[in-house]
Amino acid sequence: MEFGLHSGSMQWIAKVLEGDRGWKRRGKREKKGGGGRGLADGGRDTTWHAPWYTLYMAVRKRISNHLLLVEAKDAESQGDGSRAITLYQQAVENDPLEEQAWQRLMILHRKQKDYKGELKVINLALKTYETHAREAQRQWLQQHKKGA
């Protein structure tokens, strides 16, 4: 399985997935020589995560979703439709914009002649994508108030 990352990144990801998370959270931010504001003088919460931790969580989520899709496809090829549906539903819960999972859910419901289930999946996918588009538009408008 190739993710387009160099071996150092893959080793780091493997270490992260094994559960070595002792370094994900930093301690209290110390007040620097009169310049910073601590909690005592009205500052914000000082617990933070480094930018790489955000990347780590995104990569971890992407890998776990990819593994769910692979496992669901295997279950589907073995003829276990109900297990495949469950796995695709988990993939959609992890990433609501996972188009492949939505498509396979629709196809599996159609193959099982569960037309009402297929229609529910279609409507839920449409609602999810509409909600995402509205939210993206709202965020864009907030960021570009002068241009809008």
Side-chain angles (χ1 to χ4, degrees):
M1 187 168 19
E2 180 63 36
F3 291 100
L5 300 172
H6 60 80
S7 63
S9 296
M10 291 305 290
Q11 289 172 356
W12 176 74
I13 290 169
K15 185 177 180 181
V16 165
L17 291 177
E18 288 172 4
D20 183 11
R21 296 188 207 111
W23 33 260
K24 76 175 183 181
R25 196 169 195 163
R26 299 279 180 154
K28 297 283 184 184
R29 179 181 63 191
E30 293 183 19
K31 187 175 178 183
K32 295 181 180 179
R37 293 171 47 137
L39 287 176
D41 57 347
R44 58 190 165 92
D45 187 5
T46 58
T47 307
W48 60 277
H49 297 290
W52 55 263
Y53 181 70
T54 304
L55 174 66
Y56 147 74
M57 291 305 292
V59 168
R60 184 175 178 162
K61 182 178 179 181
R62 190 79 186 138
I63 289 174
S64 67
N65 220 35
H66 177 75
L67 294 175
L68 277 173
L69 292 174
V70 168
E71 191 176 343
K73 194 69 174 169
D74 287 343
E76 192 177 342
S77 66
Q78 294 172 0
D80 192 357
S82 61
R83 183 166 178 266
I85 287 175
T86 303
L87 291 168
Y88 283 128
Q89 287 172 340
Q90 288 175 1
V92 164
E93 287 174 10
N94 285 348
D95 182 7
L97 301 178
E98 182 62 60
E99 187 177 338
Q100 180 184 3
W102 286 114
Q103 290 175 352
R104 296 310 304 169
L105 275 170
M106 292 174 209
I107 290 169
L108 285 170
H109 282 288
R110 169 75 49 111
K111 284 183 177 179
Q112 293 180 353
K113 298 185 188 221
D114 180 15
Y115 302 117
K116 288 183 181 181
E118 180 187 10
L119 187 59
K120 285 181 184 178
V121 170
I122 290 169
N123 288 331
L124 186 58
L126 288 173
K127 182 179 177 183
T128 300
Y129 280 99
E130 287 174 358
T131 302
H132 172 72
R134 258 190 251 111
E135 181 63 24
Q137 182 181 26
R138 187 188 64 75
Q139 287 178 358
W140 186 90
L141 286 173
Q142 276 185 341
Q143 292 172 355
H144 301 89
K145 287 181 180 178
K146 291 181 182 176

